[in-house]
Amino acid sequence: MCRSIKTLRPPVLAEEATEDEIRAAALQYVRKVSGFRAPAAHNREVFDDAVDAVAMATAELLASLEIRGGAGARRAS
């Protein structure tokens, strides 16, 4: 997978992932899957929609994860 996508959940990330970090990971994922660093004008809307969808799914995933161990059970968000 894309090496520039970092893990966004505790304990790997000490703090809660920011919206910017989630969006950056989504952008890297869509770039990798599509094969485009930046889409042509005729693909811009679907590219941006995909980034939005992946970012939303990522935020939902992080909010739903139950992290065990460490200082008791934590939920990542």
Side-chain angles (χ1 to χ4, degrees):
M1 190 40 128
C2 191
R3 292 183 182 156
S4 59
I5 299 174
K6 65 182 183 178
T7 301
L8 297 179
R9 66 161 181 82
V12 177
L13 190 65
E15 299 291 323
E16 181 177 310
T18 66
E19 188 175 320
D20 288 342
E21 289 171 319
I22 291 170
R23 183 147 184 92
L27 177 60
Q28 289 301 319
Y29 176 80
V30 172
R31 284 177 173 169
K32 185 68 164 186
V33 170
S34 70
F36 295 111
R37 178 163 170 32
H42 63 277
N43 286 325
R44 169 59 62 190
E45 185 176 353
V46 295
F47 189 91
D48 290 343
D49 288 349
V51 173
D52 291 342
V54 171
M56 184 180 301
T58 300
E60 289 174 10
L61 170 67
L62 292 173
S64 298
L65 288 174
E66 182 179 319
I67 309 301
R68 296 184 181 178
R74 291 179 53 184
R75 287 186 84 89
S77 47

